[in-house]
Amino acid sequence: MSEEKQIKKQHGGALHDITVLDLTDQKGMYCGKFLASMGAEVIKVEPPCGCTERRFGPFADDIPEPERSLYFWYRNTGKKSITLNLEAAEGRELLKRLVKDSDVMLHSYASSYLKRIGLSYSSLRSLNRSLVMVTISDFGDEGPYSKYKSSDLVAQAMSGILFGSGYPDRPPVMIPEEPAYFIVSMAATVATLMALVTRKQLGHGQYVEVPMHSCCSFASETPVLWYSFNKKILHRVGGRVLTTGPGRMSHIRQCRDGYVCTYGLIPPFEWMEKEGMLGDLADDKYWTDPFARSSPEVEDHITEILDAWLGLHTKQELYEGCQSRHRVLGPLNSIAEACQDPQLRARNFFVKVNHPELGKEYEYPGAAWDSPQTPWEVRRPPRLGEHNTEIYCERLGLTLKELEILKSARIV
Amino acid sequence: MKKESENTKEALQGLKILDLSWVAAGPLATQLLAMHGAEVINVERPEVGDHYGRQLFPYADNKPGINRSAFFNNSHKNKYGITLDFVHPKGRDVLRKLIARCDVVLENFSAGAMERLRFGYEDLKRIKKDIIMVRLASQGQTGPHSKYVSFGPVLQSASGFNNIIGWPDRPPTGFSLPYADFTGTFFGVMAILQALIYRNSTGESVYIDMSQLQTISIALSSMLDYTVNGRQAVRTGNQLTNRYAAPHGVYRCLGDDEWCAITVFTEEEWHSLCHVMGDPDWTKDVRFSTILGRMDNVEVMDRYINSWTCNYSGHALTEKLQLAGVSAGIVANGRDLLEKDQQLAFQNYWVRLDHPEIDEYTYTGVPFKLSETPGKVKRRSPLLGEDNEYVYKELLSLTEEQLADLYVEKVI
């Protein structure tokens, strides 16, 4: 073990001496990715046939194979993969042996299922007092909705993310990219780190419960605060960010070659005046009192002047022109434009990851931060069972022969 | 997530954070830490305070006022609030004293602002050898756009995220909520906690240069589809593109602007849905017998489903479908969440807080639970400068005369 820890230290990262067992599904997969990016050894435990998410698209070169799922790749960077059948008693015994030497176990099973197969927190804690066990659930272990089934869209709906999304003449529209899974995974990461920080003082680990529903409600505070404070329900207006309150105008405005986001914009009066497009826009009556600005007539008037001017310029001209005048405005970029964004490029946000099994190198979105002491690192996602030998033989001391037998019995 | 005994320990007890950040992502990050026992001192400018954050809608009774913003009051619970002009020479001395006693300095000014004030990382290290400095600028401290000013929604546009939200036949809808402020929040907390773990084990100082744009870009996994396959994600309304699901959408309910999300991924779930709808004849149509068939005929199918869902209220439908094993949920607005969500009520998620200048209102609580250190909202957000006496006299041991002098010179 100590040699192994030495090897792990070669990766930087604040969590280099933390070992995490990752038994989450798509809901919590990002959590292990984040912990791995901070240096933890994250061992993803997959059923012998591979986890379901390896079947989700898109796929590299559009070849639908489990080792080419970009969905899986992106959410599992930096992890190790072992296969293990928890339905088999021998499988559960192997997991318990791994638990003894781990710091964290992440999972998204129903707690009642883990209890039934003998892997509840209380039984695992008796093997390892310092274990931090993190349950990522839909609604929570207990309570009236604890048996409800969720999904990313249902979680968006019930937590208040969805209601304000879209146009008034259509149903509410989904936020793509599974924001509910992303939010609960971020929250689970934070909760895990808190439990690790406090483990020294407590002298032992603890049970951490991270429900997707309450975490998403936390992140969609806007509709709640409006109702709490003003008994007001914010309906869909299309393109509007609701933190600015009731109003009709979208913050996504058309310009010459696309769209820009005008949220929080105080127009660059001098620039507009130079082009003869200012009208009475600079008048104080619009900018000193936010209530005056939110009346429908004033909103219409302001946006009419603004739109006429925005239509003269490209989004790049507007981005650079406004920002050089310290005005908040951003382009509505396509994914391609975002991937070529000079700022992200200058900060080396995209990281080259080598996939030797395909003989190729791909660029992955990378780090949240730069830090000389505690870097954020993105490493290749694992192939199915890639680390079986390392974990079962080198770590747990099984012989290759024993591993073969477990494999043929579909336990590994 | 129920029941808390009075003398529970706190995960981050003893952690001292000096919060120079303003508006959204910084304050919300320290909010999570303060709810788990960290001492957070929020530093604002004398007289005007965090002038943007304190002006965010809505206001109590719709009346503007420096202590009346729902957003501000929701994001500074459990914190101490002080005022300090640290450009003033006397203010600089006070700031040095504050830095010397804290573990973490968090700031989100535009890039380079701290260096200009001679409170850059090297300066901070001279004041406190093992300081953790976390910088949460819009686009980071380096690169051609490091000085650009932004709010969360603007970064959502620049990242490419806003471009993929909405209907294929309409302009982009964008995110109605400031999602990038919440990615900034959670990654900010991760940065602080992992730095703390590193410092606690090495005794060394940590510097974090975070970019809010990078945090929202990490939430955009379809960037990998572009860098690997050259394909750009498109707007697809409520349809998933990466896996099979049908129905997968938002359906009309009885009542004004009332909707229910329904997501069906397996045949079993489809049969449960058919059954709960009363197995109408249309469900036996061969076009709907497979998931691919249903995806190909989604418009016809959705019309049939809508003609059934519109007979029920959103809450009744949620319960009916969930009892039948179908993942479904009401599209909740602020009132639904506060008054009708039984799970959040069961978890005692919401908190009621009184306030000397405004009425008692409901605020958001702790979104996840650590079993032994559950976290708690102990105190409402401070009025501007409310804790000057306590912080300056009790924590910094300034004398009455020194304090009076700082007031007179408008340093605090």
Side-chain angles (χ1 to χ4, degrees), chain B residues 246-265:
Chain B
H248 187 278
V250 175
Y251 300 89
R252 183 175 283 287
C253 299
L254 204 63
D256 177 40
D257 205 10
E258 207 168 301
W259 306 84
C260 184
I262 302 176
T263 57
V264 168
F265 296 95

Side-chain angles (χ1 to χ4, degrees), chain A residues 12-16 34-35 37-40 189-190 192-194 196-197 369-377, chain B residues 12 33 104 132-134 186-202 204 206-210:
Chain A
L15 306 181
H16 62 84
F34 299 153
L35 293 169
S37 301
M38 292 180 263
T189 310
V190 160
T192 304
L193 293 172
M194 281 183 187
L196 288 173
V197 165
W369 62 71
D370 283 348
S371 168
Q373 301 87 2
T374 60
W376 178 284
E377 293 178 331
Chain B
L12 306 176
L33 299 164
V104 179
I132 294 167
M133 184 186 199
V134 177
F186 282 110
F187 281 97
V189 180
M190 282 179 219
I192 290 171
L193 292 173
Q194 59 98 44
L196 189 66
I197 289 171
Y198 178 88
R199 190 213 61 181
N200 287 351
S201 73
T202 62
E204 285 171 28
V206 180
Y207 176 79
I208 305 275
D209 165 11
M210 200 169 109

Side-chain angles (χ1 to χ4, degrees), chain A residues 8-232:
Chain A
K8 273 191 283 167
K9 268 185 200 277
Q10 289 169 3
H11 298 302
L15 306 181
H16 62 84
D17 59 355
I18 297 294
T19 295
V20 179
L21 295 174
D22 182 354
L23 288 86
T24 61
D25 63 10
Q26 65 250 37
K27 210 169 29 235
M29 265 187 187
Y30 276 116
C31 176
K33 170 192 171 85
F34 299 153
L35 293 169
S37 301
M38 292 180 263
E41 177 192 52
V42 179
I43 303 170
K44 184 170 177 58
V45 181
E46 301 190 60
C49 57
C51 67
T52 318
E53 291 75 14
R54 289 184 181 270
R55 293 167 195 281
F56 294 176
F59 297 92
D61 306 319
D62 290 329
I63 300 168
E65 290 172 356
E67 297 291 8
R68 286 174 172 269
S69 160
L70 302 186
Y71 185 100
F72 178 89
W73 282 8
Y74 188 61
R75 289 155 182 79
N76 291 283
T77 51
K79 298 182 190 175
K80 293 176 178 174
S81 164
I82 61 170
T83 52
L84 188 59
N85 180 3
L86 293 182
E87 293 291 318
E90 298 94 322
R92 297 194 287 271
E93 286 314 307
L94 284 170
L95 186 78
K96 285 181 186 170
R97 287 176 64 186
L98 288 170
V99 163
K100 282 185 194 161
D101 272 334
S102 298
D103 301 281
V104 178
M105 176 164 144
L106 308 171
H107 80 92
S108 50
Y109 292 111
S111 288
S112 55
Y113 169 75
L114 284 189
K115 198 171 178 183
R116 199 166 66 242
I117 65 171
L119 297 176
S120 67
Y121 173 60
S122 56
S123 61
L124 296 182
R125 188 180 51 178
S126 67
L127 303 170
N128 177 0
R129 289 258 303 155
S130 55
L131 181 72
V132 171
M133 181 146 159
V134 182
T135 302
I136 299 174
S137 65
D138 285 343
F139 292 94
D141 281 347
E142 291 172 26
Y145 302 169
S146 58
K147 300 268 185 324
Y148 280 15
K149 268 163 71 173
S150 197
S151 64
D152 191 80
L153 183 65
V154 167
Q156 289 184 40
M158 292 185 79
S159 66
I161 293 174
L162 198 55
F163 187 81
S165 178
Y167 294 96
D169 63 333
R170 297 241 175 126
V173 70
M174 165 180 93
I175 308 299
E177 290 286 355
E178 303 178 334
Y181 297 164
F182 196 82
I183 288 167
V184 73
S185 292
M186 290 191 294
T189 310
V190 160
T192 304
L193 293 172
M194 281 183 187
L196 288 173
V197 165
T198 197
R199 188 166 65 162
K200 263 201 183 124
Q201 283 98 340
L202 285 177
H204 51 81
Q206 55 181 317
Y207 182 73
V208 179
E209 197 189 341
V210 190
M212 179 159 61
H213 182 49
S214 50
C215 291
C216 289
S217 301
F218 179 81
S220 70
E221 57 175 12
T222 306
V224 165
L225 292 176
W226 273 90
Y227 191 76
S228 169
F229 269 62
N230 285 340
K231 293 284 175 278
K232 179 141 190 99

Side-chain angles (χ1 to χ4, degrees), chain B residues 81-346:
Chain B
I82 63 168
T83 51
L84 183 64
D85 171 7
F86 49 85
V87 177
H88 192 289
K90 287 185 179 171
R92 298 177 57 81
D93 285 341
V94 175
L95 189 69
R96 277 190 211 101
K97 290 194 176 92
L98 285 165
I99 293 165
R101 65 175 292 283
C102 73
D103 302 287
V104 179
V105 174
L106 175 72
E107 63 96 7
N108 64 351
F109 300 116
S110 54
M114 293 294 280
E115 282 75 8
R116 281 195 301 281
L117 292 165
R118 282 174 285 125
F119 285 111
Y121 179 52
E122 295 305 321
D123 304 302
L124 297 195
K125 267 200 302 190
R126 273 193 290 276
I127 301 168
K128 178 102 194 296
K129 199 163 78 33
D130 60 352
I131 197 79
I132 294 167
M133 184 186 199
V134 177
R135 318 188 71 172
L136 226 169
S138 295
Q139 306 209 25
Q141 303 295 318
T142 59
H145 299 173
S146 63
K147 299 239 170 14
Y148 281 20
V149 285
S150 277
F151 297 114
V154 176
L155 298 172
Q156 282 149 219
S157 277
S159 71
F161 210 131
N162 276 353
N163 198 37
I164 61 172
I165 306 173
W167 306 96
D169 61 337
R170 291 259 176 108
T173 309
F175 223 126
S176 62
L177 299 171
Y179 188 35
D181 287 327
F182 283 89
T183 60
T185 294
F186 282 110
F187 281 97
V189 180
M190 282 179 219
I192 290 171
L193 292 173
Q194 59 98 44
L196 189 66
I197 289 171
Y198 178 88
R199 190 213 61 181
N200 287 351
S201 73
T202 62
E204 285 171 28
S205 148
V206 180
Y207 176 79
I208 305 275
D209 165 11
M210 200 169 109
S211 151
Q212 216 183 326
L213 176 63
Q214 286 168 220
T215 67
I216 185 73
S217 301
I218 290 173
L220 205 54
S221 71
S222 47
M223 277 186 166
L224 190 62
D225 196 15
Y226 180 75
T227 57
V228 172
N229 292 324
R231 185 194 298 109
Q232 295 200 64
V234 292
R235 295 188 287 284
T236 60
N238 284 327
Q239 298 301 310
L240 291 184
T241 52
N242 66 328
R243 55 189 291 210
Y244 297 138
H248 187 278
V250 175
Y251 300 89
R252 183 175 283 287
C253 299
L254 204 63
D256 177 40
D257 205 10
E258 207 168 301
W259 306 84
C260 184
I262 302 176
T263 57
V264 168
F265 296 95
T266 65
E267 286 313 297
E268 194 189 343
E269 289 167 336
W270 167 244
H271 292 306
S272 302
L273 176 64
C274 292
H275 189 66
V276 77
M277 288 191 293
D279 289 313
D281 284 343
W282 70 263
T283 58
K284 292 165 188 110
D285 187 325
V286 66
R287 284 181 297 174
F288 306 124
S289 63
T290 64
I291 205 153
L292 287 173
R294 294 195 293 279
M295 288 178 83
D296 283 344
N297 296 285
V298 64
E299 278 177 35
V300 189
M301 178 190 66
D302 279 353
R303 264 203 302 281
Y304 279 124
I305 296 175
N306 268 312
S307 70
W308 177 73
T309 56
C310 70
N311 298 305
Y312 301 92
S313 78
H315 289 284
L317 197 61
T318 304
E319 202 178 329
K320 203 175 171 67
L321 288 166
Q322 285 285 358
L323 283 177
V326 179
S327 154
I330 186 170
V331 180
N333 59 36
R335 182 181 54 209
D336 294 319
L337 281 157
L338 281 167
E339 295 179 355
K340 295 182 182 163
D341 188 302
Q342 297 171 40
Q343 186 67 14
L344 295 173
F346 171 85

